[in-house]
């Protein structure tokens, strides 16, 4: 089977036939299980995902009904030894949905990302660019797009989105070092508009402009991001951005050398927040979830600066 969470929730057979996933609450249950694939999800966690803080007295019974319906929908899978295992297992206190690496698009994404990181470490920049792009090609939109995102999985979806952006940056750096600055300028210009507080994207855009001989445009881009950060957030650009401006002003030849391997890897263990990845995250609080009409009662926009 194929499970897709890197965009609208989709499940298809091995033949590529999309499956009908049932009503909204059943799809929320499935999404929660997939986000925690191969791990136990406790019944109270599923109840909270579906009904937030206002579950009906029959919530646990309803969850069992959704699980039964999903079992009828999803065929059993095989482990690495070829033994058939229940796709959706009942364990003490909850449920576990089994999904192989080749079945879940996020697992495939992480595998291709790690492959790209290994190739970068080995100095194989061209192969790395291809692996990273193949990882990004799996994304069809925001994770679980169109599905009311329960607060119980919101942090995990945020982590997935962050990994995607880190991969975008890593792939852009690799392509930059392969001499593709001309093609990258319009792409990075669009990305900086979409993520204006993500300073690493501005770094890449400024270097790409510099490498295409557009020093004045590179300095103008630095001035834009500096003005935006100061006026909107009251903070100065990162030290890396400041040094980049000075390097351009001085005509430092190091801006024309390979830099892919010099940047920290994306997936060397738990996510690390490096100075080059400093960003102000704007997270929209979801609303309209089943049984949770007051999700939007809090601040609509949360601004957080990650050091």
């Amino acid at each position: 089977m194929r499970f897709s969470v890197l965009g609208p929730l989709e499940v298809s057979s091995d033949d590529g036939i999309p499956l009908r996933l049932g009503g909204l609450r059943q799809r929320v249950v499935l999404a929660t299980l997939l986000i925690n694939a191969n791990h136990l999800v406790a019944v109270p966690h599923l109840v909270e995902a579906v009904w937030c803080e206002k579950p009906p007295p029959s919530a646990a019974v309803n969850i069992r009904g959704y699980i039964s319906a999903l079992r009828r929908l999803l065929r059993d899978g095989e482990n690495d030894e070829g033994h058939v295992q229940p796709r959706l297992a009942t364990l003490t206190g909850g449920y576990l949905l089994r999904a192989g690496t080749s079945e879940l698009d996020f697992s495939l994404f992480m595998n291709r990302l790690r492959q790209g990181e290994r190739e970068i470490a080995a100095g194989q920049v061209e192969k790395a660019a291809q692996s990273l792009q193949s990882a990004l090609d799996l994304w069809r939109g925001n994770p679980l797009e169109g599905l009311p995102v329960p607060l119980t999985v919101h942090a995990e979806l945020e982590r997935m989105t962050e990994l995607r952006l880190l991969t975008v940056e890593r792939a852009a750096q690799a392509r930059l070092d392969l001499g593709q600055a001309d093609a990258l300028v319009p792409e990075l210009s669009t990305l900086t508009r979409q993520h204006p507080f993500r300073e690493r994207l501005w770094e890449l855009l400024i270097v790409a402009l510099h490498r295409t001989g557009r020093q004045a445009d590179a300095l103008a881009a630095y001035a834009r991001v500096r003005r935006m950060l100061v006026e909107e957030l009251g903070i100065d650009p990162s030290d890396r951005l400041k040094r980049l401006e000075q390097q351009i002003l001085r005509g430092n030849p190091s801006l024309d050398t390979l830099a892919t391997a010099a940047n920290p890897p994306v997936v060397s263990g738990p996510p690390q927040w490096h100075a080059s990845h400093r960003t102000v995250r704007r997270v929209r609080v979801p609303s309209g979830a089943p049984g949770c009409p007051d999700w939007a009662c809090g601040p609509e926009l949360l601004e957080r600066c990650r050091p």
Side-chain angles (χ1 to χ4, degrees):
M1 303 197 75
R2 296 292 180 267
F3 300 97
S4 303
V5 296
L6 303 182
L9 176 64
E10 293 180 0
V11 179
S12 59
S13 67
D14 291 334
D15 298 328
I17 301 173
L19 304 183
R20 289 180 171 272
L21 303 181
L24 179 57
R25 287 180 176 138
Q26 183 167 300
R27 283 184 283 127
V28 169
V29 169
L30 175 59
T32 306
L33 291 167
L34 282 171
I35 291 298
N36 298 279
N38 304 308
H39 292 86
L40 173 69
V41 181
V43 171
H45 187 80
L46 291 171
V47 169
E48 185 179 357
V50 175
W51 289 282
C52 233
E53 297 178 354
K54 300 177 180 178
S58 61
V61 174
N62 292 347
I63 291 294
R64 287 198 295 272
Y66 299 140
I67 294 294
S68 296
L70 289 171
R71 279 205 180 101
R72 291 192 295 270
L73 181 70
L74 308 176
R75 69 168 180 78
D76 290 341
E78 294 182 356
N79 61 17
D80 295 337
E81 288 75 37
H83 299 141
V84 176
Q85 292 183 314
R87 175 70 69 182
L88 188 45
T90 300
L91 303 177
T92 303
Y95 303 95
L96 180 147
L97 192 152
R98 293 184 172 94
T101 301
S102 62
E103 294 180 313
L104 179 60
D105 58 355
F106 181 64
S107 297
L108 281 171
F109 166 76
M110 292 300 297
N111 271 7
R112 295 177 185 181
L113 172 54
R114 291 188 180 98
Q115 177 66 28
E117 293 287 2
R118 288 192 294 270
E119 290 162 345
I120 287 172
Q124 300 171 329
V125 179
E126 186 171 0
K127 286 185 176 180
Q130 294 171 354
S131 295
L132 295 171
Q133 187 57 54
S134 70
L136 293 170
D137 288 343
L138 292 168
W139 288 77
R140 300 167 292 112
N142 295 321
L144 299 181
E145 188 171 307
L147 190 68
V149 180
L151 292 177
T152 50
V153 300
H154 195 266
E156 180 62 19
L157 299 191
E158 197 178 3
R159 184 184 76 89
M160 294 164 66
T161 300
E162 179 66 22
L163 282 169
R164 178 191 191 183
L165 286 171
L166 289 170
T167 306
V168 167
E169 293 166 352
R170 201 70 159 142
Q173 179 68 70
R175 291 176 58 198
L176 192 59
D177 293 341
L178 290 170
Q180 301 177 20
D182 283 309
L184 277 168
V185 167
E187 296 178 27
L188 289 168
S189 296
T190 298
L191 285 166
T192 52
R193 287 194 296 270
Q194 294 172 341
H195 308 280
F197 300 109
R198 199 166 182 92
E199 292 181 74
R200 178 64 177 144
L201 291 174
W202 285 99
E203 283 183 41
L204 292 164
L205 173 60
I206 291 168
V207 172
L209 288 166
H210 170 78
R211 291 190 182 181
T212 56
R214 299 167 60 181
Q215 281 78 12
D217 290 335
L219 292 170
Y222 174 81
R224 285 200 305 276
V225 65
R226 181 185 180 280
R227 183 171 57 251
M228 178 184 60
L229 291 171
V230 170
E231 292 179 356
E232 296 195 28
L233 304 176
I235 61 175
D236 290 325
S238 66
D239 290 341
R240 282 179 58 131
L241 268 176
K242 292 177 183 177
R243 285 195 300 271
L244 185 55
E245 181 203 27
Q246 292 303 310
Q247 287 175 318
I248 293 173
L249 289 170
R250 296 169 184 167
N252 193 318
S254 66
L255 288 178
D256 298 317
T257 60
L258 297 179
T260 302
N263 286 284
V266 174
V267 285
S268 58
Q272 301 291 320
W273 302 103
H274 303 278
S276 62
H277 297 144
R278 191 182 70 153
T279 181
V280 174
R281 303 297 305 278
R282 289 187 169 184
V283 181
R284 186 170 299 279
V285 177
S287 61
C292 302
D294 39 342
W295 272 17
C297 292
E300 184 180 77
L301 216 57
L302 171 66
E303 292 186 355
R304 180 171 73 235
C305 183
R306 280 184 162 158

